[in-house]
Amino acid sequence: MAMRSTTASVSEKLDAASKQTPPATVSPSPSPSSTSRTRTLPRWVPTWIGRGIIRDVRARAPYYVSDWTDAWNYRVIPAIVLIFFANVLPGIAFSLDLIETTQQYGVSEVLLSSFMAAFVFSVFGAQPLCIAGVTGPITVLNKTIFDIIERQPDAPNYLQFVGWVYMWGAILHWITAALNWCNFLRYVTLFSCDTFGFYVSWVYLQYGVQVVTRQFPSDASSSPPTGSTQSGTSTLDGAFVGIILALLMTVTAFLFRTLSQSGYFHRHVRRFLADYGMPISLVAASAMAYWGRFNRANPSTLPTGHAFMPANDRPWLVRFWELDGKWVGIAFPFGVVLWVLFFFDHNVSSLMAQGTGFPLRKPPGFHYDFFLLGITTFIAGLLGVPAPNGLIPQAPIHTTSLLVMGHAGKADIEAAATRTPSTTTAGPVISSQRPSDDLAVAHTRSRLHRPRTPDLEPDPTHARDGEGDLRRHELPVAVVEQRVSNLAQGALCLVLLTGPFLHVLGLIPRGVLAGLFWYMGLDALEGNGITRKLLYFLRDRALTPADEPLRRVRKSRILLFIAVQLVGFGATMAITQTIAAIGFPIIIFLLVPLRTYVVPRLPFTEEELAILDGPTASPFTMESVGGIKGS
């Protein structure tokens, strides 16, 4: 349960929040006349060029000061700790294959990329809740590029070629933001987000298995470990210890999460376990590697280099302008693929971080942030580091960790239960007012499409430790919307680049990282919309709530909807296992037109589609991209 400071009445929470934020009368959409007066472009340039960026900046600017002052809240501390461990370690683990295959990247490059993304988007971005860093898809893309060009007889310098790929991608990012193409996001619904999230969850699980299997020596010998095996060659004993550590990390993290959602211990203890259970599990599992016979097995650990130095001690600046003109042209189609990947991945991460289950009060800015993503992509090519972008599931986990929970009165619950949202083929359409200003609407919306991340607080109705206030419903009443948590976790990545902390990082066993992958993958998979629909068929109907929305959908139609999503997931997963993995972003992008033009032609009713699918974010959030399609 929440602390006493966070369990006040809903009215008190909203009154306090309204005093901390600028008035709601600030319009995020300035008139065309005011826009034209502020622009200094030539007359031959259409007035709508860059309109989305200007609107995003004007909508967010009045909240910039409060983005820093609102960080004076305890919720920011566990958010920093949680996202730091959930961001930097998976980013390094994702890059292990890239590091070992290309020999062009190292841990320093991954840490610097994570810091750069956190600094740019926390200080300058319009959506500081979205966590950006090194993702699995970008490592797959970079490795596929290496595999393709290294087969050529006159292979170019890899980092120079990738520098041009990033340059072309950055130019396309800037064009996209200037031409307001992010308005395409109004067509993105939970259908695409759940399918992509399902794919990312399985990528996490797959990478966990890869981290474990790569610890086994190729000759399966059981020679005694030597000093060189600390982070290099593995032994059979060390590989088995790595498996034990991976399972220990996974089981312990889930144990802490289960206890935080149980009726055991005091509510402050449960809150502590919810906030710090995963980091504690990671530290404890890492410490086990240096205990007794586990230590003598010498399990493989993370490879680290020199402080603030890139791989092979090369210069930080990549002189990509020295690449031959032929390869500059060949890099363009790769840049297009990078643009497609980031357009979907980063924007969907932003949407999920600002989903319908979060009572946000500050406006977003998709066009402006995508322009900034072009800048970080260009800098990444210039420095020779993996390009960062939005992270799933870290971005919605970050927002979830910043939730402020409160108790709703009985009248609020009854009103929420009787309120029925209007529906369209795109999903339930809620009024465009701020979600936190109407708890009944927010409760109904979350009943249809709950957040895809686990609740930060246990539902008091599940706790068997008393009646009265302990058994009243608890709802999210606010989010601590600020920039400090994102900036702080990025600054910690920079701290890790120093010698002492880089040494500590090199002590973390790879098996623990595999367990972290499994925990995050299973956690995201459990909250995914596809998984929830599949579990609905396994649930005892007598124990299924009477107000379960899926009861109003024919089971054959639920299966049909799931089948279409699984086809998209299967196609994406299959192509990433081949040399054609360079094209997997195209498959992901095609999920949107598939939902828009194909799914409505299948035998679904409007009510069934409204229940099975819905907008990823609230109308308030979608105002930045022209509103929800069909509303």
Side-chain angles (χ1 to χ4, degrees):
M1 294 183 185
M3 297 181 182
R4 291 185 182 275
S5 60
T6 61
T7 56
S9 64
V10 173
S11 59
E12 292 174 351
K13 291 289 184 179
L14 297 183
D15 290 342
S18 63
K19 293 178 182 178
Q20 295 176 357
T21 55
T25 56
V26 177
S27 173
S29 302
S31 62
S33 60
S34 63
T35 302
S36 61
R37 286 197 300 269
T38 60
R39 298 185 59 203
T40 58
L41 296 177
R43 292 182 177 272
W44 53 269
V45 179
T47 58
W48 49 266
I49 294 291
R51 180 178 299 174
I53 299 177
I54 296 173
R55 286 180 175 177
D56 290 344
V57 172
R58 287 185 171 180
R60 191 72 190 195
Y63 299 86
Y64 191 78
V65 175
S66 68
D67 284 341
W68 299 101
T69 58
D70 289 349
W72 190 254
N73 189 297
Y74 171 73
R75 295 303 322 148
V76 174
I77 297 177
I80 293 172
V81 176
L82 177 64
I83 293 303
F84 170 68
F85 283 98
N87 177 15
V88 61
L89 294 180
I92 294 174
F94 271 130
S95 304
L96 284 179
D97 190 22
L98 183 66
I99 292 172
E100 296 171 353
T101 301
T102 65
Q103 301 295 322
Q104 301 291 327
Y105 296 107
V107 173
S108 297
E109 283 84 344
V110 178
L111 294 174
L112 184 62
S113 178
S114 299
F115 165 74
M116 175 186 65
F119 178 82
V120 170
F121 286 103
S122 62
V123 176
F124 304 104
Q127 300 170 131
L129 294 180
C130 181
I131 301 296
V134 179
T135 64
I138 189 60
T139 58
V140 171
L141 182 65
N142 280 7
K143 182 179 180 300
T144 305
I145 292 175
F146 178 83
D147 294 337
I148 292 176
I149 67 173
E150 286 300 311
R151 296 182 179 184
Q152 308 306 316
D154 56 342
N157 181 279
Y158 173 73
L159 289 181
Q160 291 182 358
F161 184 81
V162 172
W164 270 106
V165 172
Y166 286 3
M167 168 63 81
W168 288 121
I171 294 174
L172 292 174
H173 280 60
W174 298 329
I175 293 175
T176 299
L179 298 183
N180 312 311
W181 285 353
C182 288
N183 287 338
F184 177 79
L185 295 177
R186 62 198 299 233
Y187 295 95
V188 177
T189 64
L190 290 176
F191 172 89
S192 305
C193 293
D194 284 341
T195 306
F196 183 61
F198 198 75
Y199 162 75
V200 171
S201 300
W202 280 100
V203 167
Y204 269 73
L205 298 176
Q206 179 189 27
Y207 264 83
V209 174
Q210 289 181 0
V211 170
V212 166
T213 55
R214 286 173 180 168
Q215 296 182 71
F216 285 90
S218 57
D219 57 356
S221 64
S222 56
S223 57
T226 62
S228 62
T229 64
Q230 181 65 16
S231 60
T233 305
S234 300
T235 64
L236 190 60
D237 289 344
F240 282 120
V241 170
I243 296 177
I244 296 174
L245 296 176
L247 294 175
L248 178 65
M249 168 65 199
T250 306
V251 173
T252 307
F254 271 108
L255 176 62
F256 283 140
R257 198 195 73 168
T258 301
L259 290 176
S260 71
Q261 297 175 349
S262 70
Y264 297 102
F265 307 113
H266 191 273
R267 64 178 182 274
H268 295 330
V269 176
R270 295 199 300 267
R271 188 59 177 257
F272 178 83
L273 295 177
D275 290 338
Y276 303 105
M278 188 271 282
I280 291 175
S281 302
L282 192 145
V283 173
S286 299
M288 283 292 296
Y290 300 94
W291 176 66
R293 298 185 65 180
F294 282 0
N295 186 29
R296 289 195 292 273
N298 206 4
S300 298
T301 58
L302 284 177
T304 56
H306 303 293
F308 293 100
M309 288 299 295
N312 302 322
D313 293 333
R314 64 170 177 83
W316 275 112
L317 182 64
V318 176
R319 307 174 69 87
F320 64 89
W321 54 86
E322 297 179 353
L323 189 67
D324 291 341
K326 178 186 73 171
W327 293 105
V328 172
I330 295 176
F332 178 74
F334 293 93
V336 174
V337 174
L338 175 71
W339 166 70
V340 172
L341 172 63
F342 279 12
F343 182 83
F344 191 88
D345 198 355
H346 184 80
N347 285 313
V348 167
S349 299
S350 299
L351 284 172
M352 295 177 69
Q354 302 170 100
T356 57
F358 303 123
L360 303 174
R361 300 183 60 85
K362 298 181 181 181
F366 292 93
H367 304 279
Y368 173 65
D369 272 19
F370 201 67
F371 179 84
L372 290 181
L373 188 65
I375 295 178
T376 59
T377 302
F378 169 73
I379 297 176
L382 196 62
L383 298 179
V385 301
N389 71 301
L391 295 171
I392 299 175
Q394 288 90 334
I397 287 178
H398 181 226
T399 310
T400 303
S401 66
L402 293 168
L403 274 177
V404 177
M405 311 298 290
H407 286 154
K410 182 178 180 180
D412 294 325
I413 298 173
E414 292 177 351
T418 57
R419 183 76 62 90
T420 303
S422 58
T423 58
T424 65
T425 55
V429 177
I430 313 299
S431 61
S432 59
Q433 59 189 338
R434 298 176 188 271
S436 57
D437 293 337
D438 191 348
L439 283 178
V441 174
H443 183 78
T444 304
R445 180 175 65 242
S446 63
R447 184 74 183 93
L448 283 171
H449 304 290
R450 294 186 178 91
R452 289 159 301 284
T453 53
D455 293 336
L456 183 65
E457 293 274 355
D459 186 345
T461 60
H462 293 169
R464 304 179 181 274
D465 51 2
E467 298 291 338
D469 290 341
L470 292 180
R471 298 187 65 85
R472 297 174 66 190
H473 288 270
E474 195 173 40
L475 297 174
V477 297
V479 175
V480 184
E481 300 179 64
Q482 40 69 49
R483 300 174 180 269
V484 172
S485 59
N486 196 353
L487 179 61
Q489 66 90 21
L492 290 176
C493 295
L494 194 63
V495 171
L496 280 181
L497 277 173
T498 61
F501 288 96
L502 204 61
H503 173 72
V504 174
L505 185 65
L507 298 177
I508 299 178
R510 299 192 186 193
V512 175
L513 295 184
L516 180 61
F517 271 125
W518 291 344
Y519 170 72
M520 295 186 65
L522 291 172
D523 189 51
L525 197 64
E526 180 183 1
N528 187 270
I530 297 177
T531 308
R532 289 181 173 180
K533 293 182 180 68
L534 289 172
L535 292 178
Y536 171 76
F537 288 93
L538 302 178
R539 193 182 307 161
D540 188 343
R541 188 171 182 83
L543 300 179
T544 302
D547 60 343
E548 168 61 53
L550 291 176
R551 280 181 174 268
R552 307 201 302 269
V553 183
R554 292 167 290 179
K555 289 189 175 182
S556 61
R557 299 305 181 264
I558 299 177
L559 289 175
L560 178 60
F561 192 83
I562 295 174
V564 177
Q565 289 182 294
L566 291 180
V567 168
F569 157 73
T572 307
M573 181 62 74
I575 196 173
T576 54
Q577 309 303 316
T578 67
I579 190 61
I582 192 72
F584 81 94
I586 306 297
I587 304 297
I588 296 173
F589 188 80
L590 291 177
L591 293 173
V592 180
L594 175 66
R595 168 62 180 92
T596 304
Y597 299 108
V598 178
V599 173
R601 298 179 181 275
L602 299 177
F604 296 104
T605 65
E606 286 191 3
E607 181 184 10
E608 288 174 337
L609 276 183
I611 294 173
L612 293 171
D613 195 15
T616 304
S618 67
F620 167 63
T621 300
M622 299 303 290
E623 287 177 2
S624 173
V625 292
I628 298 175
K629 180 63 176 176
S631 61

